Amino acid sequence: MIESLQRAGRRGFAFVENAFDAAFGPRINPFYHLGALAFFFFWIVAASGIYLFIFFETSIAGAYGSVEYLTHTQWYLGGVTRSLHRYASDAMVVATLLHLAREFALDRYRGVRWYAWITGVMLLWFLYASGISGYWLVWDRLAQYIAVVTAEWFDWLPLFGESIARNFLDSATVSDRFFSLMFFIHIGVPLFLLLGMWIHIQRISRARTNPPRAILLGTLAALTLLSLAYPALSQGPADLDTVVSVVRPDWFYLMLYPLIDAWSPGAVWLVAGGGTLLLMLLPWLPPRREADAAVVSLANCNGCGRCFADCPYSAVILRPRTDGLPYASEAVVDPDLCTACGICAGACPTATPFRRATELVAGIDMPRLPVRELRDRTLEVTARLSGTDRVLAYVCHCGGDPAALEAAGIGVIMLPCVGALPPSFIDFAISRHHADGILLIGGAAGDCYQRLGIDWTEQRLAGRRDPWLRGRVPRERVAAIWAGPRDGAELARRIAAFRARLRELGPVLPGGTPSGSTAGGEVRDVSY
Amino acid sequence: MSLIEWDEKFSVGVAAVDHEHRELIGLVNETYERLKRPSASVTVPDFLGEIHARIAAHFALEETLMRAKNYAQFAEHKADHERLLDEIRDIMDDYEDGDSEAFDERQFALRLGTWFTGHFATHDARLHRQLD
């Protein structure tokens, strides 16, 4: 049942994301930056909130008027800022819910990722509390509606000695002090939200909390245009002596509110509380066991720290040496954080297929696919190829269907992540004449399943991140396709084009390739 | 006699770096000894691949130390590292692609020895002073 939901989700996201890929290109596809977008929206809300705070009057009598002043008299700045405050917080709900749905669909919420999932689900409550307390402050009819319904909702809980709803019986009973309390809630809860967002990203390294500049500017421009075209308006002053009948709720925040009246407060508590509980239990329904975590071989580790620098999940740490060798540190893997992506092995300088005098064991290696086995597989798969266009493809598990790729007549080796490939394998396969060209196939650029695999691979190939692909490797024989399995026809076309290019180039000449400067290396075709 | 003898003046004062320099010297000496003997059971490429990997790992550690200390000549030193790795890779290919007859083991070992002593004397000495 969960799997079919995920499949449907993946299909849905793939459909929309393909459209966005076509429109913007994969690198600035907002769907690949939903979490970062939520951060960005938070900052817009925070900045606009500070401006609104300057003019806001924290009193029952003054609040509505001060917001009206901002909206109408000072529409060019205050009004736009108010609208930005409103629309960015709506957008934050959208980005957050999409982020949640997408991570669910991609199965990135179980196993070692449970922590981000649980903290993320808890953030939803802070997000909603922040938004709803904000609507309260405008003190218009919608605010009155929210005040009354929220009070009814909370009154159902056996928490408060007396009814909160009685505060809103008539104008005389709502005191300025209660209003000040709401004001502090509207500032305090978002601060906790921010703290929670920080906690949410603690278990990954290099969390992307800023979307790419193009997305950032485009989104800001769109929100500003929206604010000018459809300014956020109040819905008439609150008047507790009349019963609010018709309001236009903000469905992003208030979708449950009509149900409080329609059903009962208890039923809505059941839906909200039960839903939250269910979401929080999801990582264990059923749990997932990750592939075995990376293993360090101290005999091959000098503590250079490349695996530590490249691990996307902070699963590798460096600690003081324990085996008596005079190195300062050694790599240690925390299995509770390791997703077995293999990016650490891809970074290890001892993970090279050229080693033959000693047994090939990398300083840090993956039990699922050790470097030695990767070399064996490389030899085995390439032995079956013939012609002058022999292509060996190292394929991320999210990068394509191995059977379909093999049917295209190329050698295929599946990797947990394309970043698990030490660049020396490319040098090895080409210079030892095992293949005429190497293809790296992964998910969409900007959307690496293991977060940093594609980035690190591109930087390693371009000589901007260790270990570099040596400059001597003829770049025209190396190509990367970041496409994901979605566009099969395009993938086949690119493979055919690459093979045609190899036929044109002819076989790799014996006698070694002349040494190119490694530092000056440049990679062609790294983007899809 | 060994090709390169460890000398205290090679010491850069960083225990880990000194240790690896000693190990590399040991590996180069061993290569040299084996290659001198005509009945060598271990082939040249076997050793070259091993030396390449060990030197690459050694450089990785040195570069991490340099980065951590904001070593001023980092780029220069790093380029020197990559040049040596490129050179060894060229020799490996030359050998494996049938140029093995032309391959002069002694010449290669001497070249490696010379490179090492030069590497210790210039860059590493400067690194040592700066890392202090």
Side-chain angles (χ1 to χ4, degrees):
Chain A
M1 144 89 167
I2 284 189
E3 268 179 33
S4 50
L5 270 176
Q6 286 178 322
R7 256 198 308 279
R10 276 200 296 274
R11 265 201 301 276
F13 275 109
F15 181 74
V16 183
E17 286 164 14
N18 276 345
F20 275 82
D21 272 357
F24 303 108
R27 273 167 213 277
I28 54 168
N29 186 335
F31 278 86
Y32 305 153
H33 302 273
L34 291 168
L37 270 172
F39 265 88
F40 177 55
F41 291 133
F42 180 89
W43 296 122
I44 297 182
V45 177
S48 54
I50 289 169
Y51 184 79
L52 297 176
F53 170 68
I54 298 171
F55 298 94
F56 185 71
E57 266 189 61
T58 320
S59 68
I60 293 294
Y64 183 81
S66 66
V67 176
E68 285 297 283
Y69 162 78
L70 278 164
T71 309
H72 298 292
T73 316
Q74 211 205 91
W75 65 270
Y76 49 90
L77 199 56
V80 171
T81 310
R82 178 193 178 187
S83 302
L84 272 179
H85 194 69
R86 153 86 187 268
Y87 293 137
S89 46
D90 286 345
M92 189 170 171
V93 171
V94 175
T96 305
L97 293 181
L98 282 175
H99 181 48
L100 178 125
R102 191 167 189 273
E103 298 306 294
F104 170 75
L106 292 176
D107 206 19
R108 284 196 293 211
Y109 66 98
R110 293 187 289 165
V112 303
R113 293 176 173 91
W114 67 269
Y115 174 88
W117 179 263
I118 290 231
T119 50
V121 171
M122 290 196 283
L123 284 179
L124 289 176
W125 281 83
F126 286 94
L127 177 58
Y128 278 98
S130 302
I132 292 169
S133 60
Y135 275 107
W136 202 305
L137 296 185
V138 180
W139 207 233
D140 61 351
R141 283 199 205 134
L142 177 60
Q144 181 184 349
Y145 166 79
I146 291 172
V148 172
V149 178
T150 309
E152 279 172 23
W153 198 43
F154 273 86
D155 276 342
W156 185 86
L157 294 176
L159 287 179
F160 306 100
E162 53 182 296
S163 159
I164 324 171
R166 283 172 60 183
N167 277 305
F168 306 110
L169 284 180
D170 60 62
S171 319
T173 50
V174 184
S175 71
D176 281 352
R177 282 199 56 194
F178 191 82
F179 206 77
S180 301
L181 176 70
M182 288 314 300
F183 186 74
F184 281 109
I185 287 179
H186 189 55
I187 291 183
V189 175
L191 284 177
F192 278 103
L193 173 63
L194 183 61
L195 176 69
M197 286 156 73
W198 178 75
I199 292 171
H200 176 60
I201 56 172
Q202 278 316 295
R203 275 190 155 194
I204 51 172
S205 60
R206 299 168 196 267
R208 275 188 315 202
T209 54
N210 285 315
R213 186 180 298 260
I215 296 185
L216 199 141
L217 294 176
T219 312
L220 189 59
L223 284 176
T224 311
L225 278 178
L226 181 67
S227 301
L228 286 167
Y230 299 98
L233 299 173
S234 303
Q235 301 183 21
D239 179 6
L240 290 173
D241 299 326
T242 61
V243 174
V244 179
S245 50
V246 182
V247 287
R248 296 183 303 279
D250 172 347
W251 293 107
F252 295 104
Y253 279 95
L254 304 171
M255 53 222 188
L256 289 181
Y257 269 63
L259 296 178
I260 297 176
D261 272 342
W263 301 349
S264 74
V268 176
W269 273 116
L270 196 71
V271 169
T276 307
L277 200 67
L278 185 71
L279 278 178
M280 285 171 77
L281 287 175
L282 215 52
W284 293 274
L285 297 173
R288 183 181 61 190
R289 234 183 77 81
E290 307 284 356
D292 284 343
V295 174
V296 175
S297 153
L298 280 187
N300 289 286
C301 171
N302 63 8
C304 74
R306 282 185 183 169
C307 49
F308 165 72
D310 280 8
C311 176
Y313 303 99
S314 303
V316 184
I317 54 159
L318 292 175
R319 72 163 177 213
R321 200 78 187 182
T322 57
D323 63 354
L325 289 177
Y327 301 114
S329 37
E330 66 188 34
V332 183
V333 178
D334 182 346
D336 289 341
L337 298 179
C338 179
T339 66
C341 68
I343 289 176
C344 51
C348 184
T350 64
T352 144
F354 293 108
R355 279 176 61 193
R356 278 188 300 195
T358 56
E359 195 192 8
L360 175 52
V361 177
I364 190 162
D365 218 337
M366 299 311 306
R368 164 155 57 154
L369 181 63
V371 174
R372 190 181 57 235
E373 203 177 305
L374 189 57
R375 182 176 63 187
D376 294 347
R377 295 273 303 137
T378 300
L379 297 175
E380 186 189 307
V381 168
T382 51
R384 295 199 292 263
L385 303 174
S386 59
T388 56
D389 59 353
R390 298 166 301 156
V391 171
L392 173 60
Y394 290 102
V395 185
C396 169
H397 79 96
C398 62
D401 170 22
L405 289 168
E406 269 165 4
I410 62 175
V412 176
I413 295 178
M414 299 303 287
L415 297 172
C417 171
V418 79
L421 181 75
S424 52
F425 274 81
I426 302 174
D427 187 5
F428 176 73
I430 295 176
S431 69
R432 298 288 89 242
H433 313 289
H434 297 304
D436 301 302
I438 299 292
L439 261 183
L440 304 174
I441 302 179
D447 187 37
C448 176
Y449 190 84
Q450 301 288 5
R451 302 189 57 242
L452 301 172
I454 290 177
D455 287 353
W456 290 170
T457 301
E458 290 195 332
Q459 292 178 24
R460 289 168 187 169
L461 298 194
R464 282 185 283 117
R465 187 173 194 86
D466 291 311
W468 296 352
L469 176 65
R470 307 223 64 75
R472 66 200 320 289
V473 177
R475 276 2 193 214
E476 61 276 16
R477 293 184 182 276
V478 183
I481 304 179
W482 309 135
R486 291 178 204 153
D487 198 347
E490 177 64 9
L491 193 59
R493 194 188 64 74
R494 299 266 303 183
I495 292 172
F498 183 56
R499 293 181 73 182
R501 183 164 85 195
L502 293 176
R503 282 193 296 276
E504 232 167 79
L505 286 168
V508 179
L509 292 174
T513 16
S515 170
S517 161
T518 294
E522 199 191 320
V523 183
R524 276 159 231 152
D525 268 352
V526 285
S527 59
Y528 173 56
Chain B
M1 200 198 94
S2 304
L3 181 70
I4 321 172
E5 293 281 350
W6 171 259
D7 191 309
E8 272 313 306
K9 75 170 188 256
F10 292 157
S11 169
V12 300
V14 179
V17 177
D18 282 349
H19 170 74
E20 282 207 310
H21 280 164
R22 278 203 203 89
E23 291 226 312
L24 283 171
I25 287 175
L27 192 61
V28 172
N29 283 337
E30 197 185 337
T31 313
Y32 177 67
E33 292 301 321
R34 296 230 188 175
L35 296 181
K36 273 200 303 192
R37 273 180 266 134
S39 61
S41 59
V42 180
T43 64
V44 176
D46 291 349
F47 257 105
L48 289 179
E50 200 64 31
I51 287 180
H52 190 265
R54 294 298 159 191
I55 292 182
H58 169 62
F59 288 166
L61 177 60
E62 256 188 23
E63 287 160 17
T64 302
L65 290 172
M66 286 191 278
R67 279 208 186 92
K69 300 274 180 179
N70 277 324
Y71 177 57
Q73 278 91 30
F74 175 74
E76 204 183 308
H77 203 126
K78 166 98 176 153
D80 200 40
H81 286 168
E82 298 296 340
R83 244 193 317 277
L84 181 77
L85 291 172
D86 280 339
E87 242 179 85
I88 301 177
R89 275 293 294 112
D90 283 350
I91 295 167
M92 287 161 71
D93 275 4
D94 286 348
Y95 192 91
E96 296 228 17
D97 280 333
D99 234 359
S100 52
E101 293 303 312
F103 182 78
D104 185 337
E105 287 102 3
R106 267 186 66 91
Q107 204 56 44
F108 167 69
L110 282 171
R111 199 157 123 206
L112 212 52
T114 315
W115 190 90
F116 260 101
T117 34
H119 176 77
F120 298 150
T122 57
H123 288 292
D124 278 1
R126 203 159 26 173
L127 169 67
H128 160 50
R129 279 196 298 277
Q130 203 149 347
L131 290 186
D132 263 348

